[in-house]
Amino acid sequence: MGNPSSRLHCLIKRCPNFYRKPNFLLGLAKDEKPIFNTAFCDQMVSPFSQTKQFSVGANDTFIDPIPVVATTRSPLDSSPTIDAGSSIRKPISLWPGMYHSPVTNALWEARSSIFERYSDAPVDPTPQNDLITKTPSMSRTSVLYKFSSDYVLREQYRNPWNEIRMGKLLEDLDALAGTISFKHCSSNDGTTRPLILVTASVDKMLLKKPIRVDTDLKIEGAVTWIGRSSMEIQLEVMQSSPEASSTSESLALTANFTFVARDSKTGKSAPINQISPETETEKLLWEEAEERNKMRKVKRGERKKEIQGEEVNRLNELLAESRIFCDMPALADRDSILIKDTCLQNSLICQPQQRNIHGRIFGGFLMRRAFELAYATAYAFAGSAPCFVEVDHVDFLKPVDVGNFLRLKSCVLYTELENLSKPLINVEVVAHVMRPELRSSEVSNNFYFTFTVHQDSLKNGARVRNVVPGTEEEARRVIERMDAENSCS
């Protein structure tokens, strides 16, 4: 019959794509019914990583980062193939969809220690009334990407230009923020109803330095601020380099996520555990988050002002060139282009594999899809591969459910050409949730990404074009975004 390992090697050589697929398919037994939020496995060991199990007791601390490993194996790897169905059983409530990146696999695994405590809880647990106070260190979690030594992991995060796939990283940040929120809100004895925790918003994220895909990367975060039913989680993306002599020089990106809590039965806002900052740094982070929260409330309370006086002049200036495009196209500025001519879009049906533990579409998945469409829009507009600069504040306005028809529309809203060596391309992506059977369409998210281009691509006289609004509605959107950008700078 020959050596079994030799036969396996031949199979891998013949069907490399099949054997490289992630082992996410977790079937149910023939007579087994799906169980939601009530049953949990006795053993939660991932076939993809050796994640250290931890609890969230009052005296626990979290130091060791969660290792992230590849979800596929290289055909050159001599390790035996892992059987994904061999006594590994994830309840649907804990291991919701089959759409996972290596880091989300590790994070779902980390959450298992929280959910396991609910297995002995009463059938109809009481609401969480007896709140406890936790420190930021109790929720602190870190994830390590060993890009320098794990070839297959590196391949999953590499884009065609040998750079990091920022969309996947944004997705991972949302997953990590969700895990941290679960750790903070969980009760110590598991006798209360688990809360529904959802992403409410994400503050502006500015890339401080390029992120390499061949160097180890670490993301770390903790709860920094608590309201009655909302919390802010701050995440840091760090990557060391020979030039970095301090921790601050290793910092590549900072992200602030706001999560809100809902009672799992009533759907109403639910109070959450309070926080007690210990160190001076934690106290400073709390004060900064408190100030950001106040500013959000002020902005929400402000009514949209009517465009008049000086604003009318700005509107007319923006529309002046578009009138030339419409009325005398032969005389239009050849270095300008109408917004409508930069548009791209795509559509998809939201599948069960993309759901979170609450049965709704994973917020990180939406961010990744929006980023990838924005990247393609900037690429088609600039004529060369763009470089990510920042993503502006994101509000999650409407939940997206399994089965919804999601349509993403993008355009280059405006460009900033003052610095010709580093022109900025501002891309808007609007996500619409459509229900054809109800003849309804609602906006779930507005995303705003900023890109630039490599200086090498600007040689030989190549330039990034000016973008012109063609309608008054487009001009108002441009003014609104410019004002929002200036208020944050």
Side-chain angles (χ1 to χ4, degrees):
M1 296 292 291
N3 189 331
S5 62
S6 299
R7 295 200 305 274
L8 176 60
H9 182 69
C10 292
L11 284 172
I12 291 174
K13 288 183 68 177
R14 284 184 177 183
C15 309
N17 292 331
F18 175 81
Y19 281 91
R20 290 187 186 185
K21 287 184 179 178
N23 298 324
F24 295 140
L25 297 178
L26 303 169
L28 293 171
K30 184 176 181 181
D31 58 347
E32 185 179 354
K33 295 181 179 179
I35 300 175
F36 293 88
N37 291 326
T38 56
F40 303 92
C41 296
D42 293 326
Q43 185 179 10
M44 306 297 294
V45 180
S46 169
F48 312 120
S49 64
Q50 296 299 315
T51 303
K52 179 180 178 181
Q53 297 295 311
F54 51 80
S55 63
V56 289
N59 298 321
D60 288 345
T61 57
F62 308 93
I63 300 173
D64 296 338
I66 300 171
V68 181
V69 299
T71 56
T72 60
R73 290 188 175 274
S74 167
L76 302 178
D77 194 335
S78 59
S79 301
T81 303
I82 296 174
D83 180 3
S86 60
S87 72
I88 305 293
R89 250 349 212 286
K90 312 291 185 192
I92 291 179
S93 60
L94 175 60
W95 195 269
M98 287 167 282
Y99 180 83
H100 298 286
S101 70
V103 73
T104 53
N105 289 332
L107 291 173
W108 290 127
E109 196 65 31
R111 293 186 194 187
S112 67
S113 62
I114 301 173
F115 282 102
E116 283 174 343
R117 295 198 312 281
Y118 293 112
S119 58
D120 298 325
V123 176
D124 188 17
T126 59
Q128 188 167 354
N129 294 322
D130 297 329
L131 300 176
I132 59 177
T133 299
K134 295 187 175 183
T135 63
S137 62
M138 291 179 179
S139 65
R140 183 166 295 280
T141 309
S142 59
V143 177
L144 181 63
Y145 300 73
K146 295 185 177 180
F147 288 140
S148 62
S149 56
D150 192 333
Y151 166 79
V152 181
L153 176 66
R154 186 165 67 246
E155 282 297 293
Q156 294 181 66
Y157 281 81
R158 183 178 68 85
N159 71 11
W161 298 274
N162 220 24
E163 298 169 345
I164 192 81
R165 286 182 62 186
M166 283 300 303
K168 284 182 72 70
L169 188 59
L170 293 177
E171 182 179 45
D172 292 349
L173 289 171
D174 183 72
L176 177 56
T179 295
I180 291 170
S181 69
F182 268 86
K183 288 169 67 174
H184 179 82
C185 293
S186 62
S187 59
N188 288 334
D189 55 8
T191 59
T192 57
R193 286 204 294 263
L195 299 174
I196 295 176
L197 299 168
V198 295
T199 311
S201 65
V202 185
D203 281 354
K204 174 184 286 192
M205 286 184 268
L206 176 64
L207 190 65
K208 300 180 184 297
K209 69 172 191 174
I211 298 176
R212 298 175 59 90
V213 77
D214 56 358
T215 305
D216 289 354
L217 184 73
K218 182 180 180 183
I219 56 177
E220 184 175 43
V223 174
T224 55
W225 176 88
I226 294 293
R228 179 188 174 274
S229 60
S230 62
M231 75 194 86
E232 183 172 298
I233 297 105
Q234 184 172 99
L235 306 176
E236 293 183 335
V237 180
M238 292 167 286
Q239 189 172 62
S240 298
S241 62
E243 300 80 23
S245 58
S246 63
T247 304
S248 60
E249 292 180 357
S250 300
L251 183 63
L253 185 106
T254 300
N256 294 303
F257 284 74
T258 300
F259 275 67
V260 294
R262 298 285 183 265
D263 187 278
S264 58
K265 273 202 167 183
T266 66
K268 297 180 179 179
S269 62
I272 56 178
N273 295 328
Q274 292 302 297
I275 193 170
S276 176
E278 293 180 310
T279 67
E280 290 301 318
T281 300
E282 291 172 351
K283 292 175 182 177
L284 178 61
L285 289 174
W286 190 93
E287 292 173 358
E288 292 175 349
E290 175 75 5
E291 187 62 29
R292 279 192 296 270
N293 186 62
K294 289 179 180 178
M295 290 299 297
R296 290 190 199 104
K297 290 181 178 179
V298 170
K299 289 180 179 180
R300 281 197 298 264
E302 289 178 348
R303 299 182 62 183
K304 282 190 175 181
K305 60 182 181 180
E306 293 293 327
I307 298 182
Q308 52 187 335
E310 185 180 340
E311 298 298 322
V312 172
N313 295 332
R314 294 175 65 190
L315 199 63
N316 287 330
E317 287 176 10
L318 285 172
L319 291 171
E321 185 61 30
S322 70
R323 296 189 183 103
I324 304 298
F325 269 94
C326 297
D327 299 336
M328 296 176 285
L331 301 178
D333 183 3
R334 295 297 174 237
D335 288 329
S336 297
I337 186 173
L338 291 172
I339 287 177
K340 69 180 182 68
D341 294 328
T342 69
C343 295
L344 293 178
Q345 61 177 292
N346 58 34
S347 303
L348 66 145
I349 303 298
C350 297
Q351 304 293 340
Q353 294 80 10
Q354 294 141 8
R355 72 189 185 275
N356 61 20
I357 62 173
H358 306 303
R360 285 181 162 159
I361 298 305
F362 178 41
F365 171 78
L366 299 176
M367 292 178 66
R368 182 179 69 82
R369 290 301 297 255
F371 175 88
E372 290 177 350
L373 179 59
Y375 189 95
T377 303
Y379 191 7
F381 170 75
S384 62
C387 303
F388 171 73
V389 176
E390 68 179 32
V391 54
D392 203 359
H393 180 91
V394 179
D395 284 313
F396 289 79
L397 306 175
K398 298 284 183 182
V400 182
D401 294 319
V402 172
N404 282 168
F405 186 0
L406 187 67
R407 190 173 189 178
L408 298 168
K409 300 180 180 180
S410 68
C411 69
V412 177
L413 202 55
Y414 66 97
T415 54
E416 299 174 63
L417 307 176
E418 291 80 5
N419 183 358
L420 294 179
S421 63
K422 189 180 179 181
L424 298 179
I425 304 167
N426 294 274
V427 180
E428 175 190 63
V429 180
V430 183
H432 297 262
V433 178
M434 297 182 291
R435 297 176 176 85
E437 62 275 9
L438 300 178
R439 298 179 67 247
S440 70
S441 177
E442 296 180 292
V443 174
S444 68
N445 301 89
N446 290 290
F447 300 92
Y448 299 97
F449 300 94
T450 303
F451 299 90
T452 187
V453 293
H454 292 284
Q455 289 190 7
D456 292 345
S457 63
L458 298 175
K459 293 179 179 179
N460 301 321
R463 293 185 60 185
V464 170
R465 301 170 76 179
N466 181 45
V467 179
V468 178
T471 65
E472 185 173 320
E473 184 271 335
E474 289 178 345
R476 288 176 184 270
R477 279 160 51 202
V478 172
I479 289 176
E480 184 179 330
R481 285 309 311 154
M482 287 180 171
D483 289 346
E485 189 71 24
N486 292 333
S487 66
C488 294
S489 58

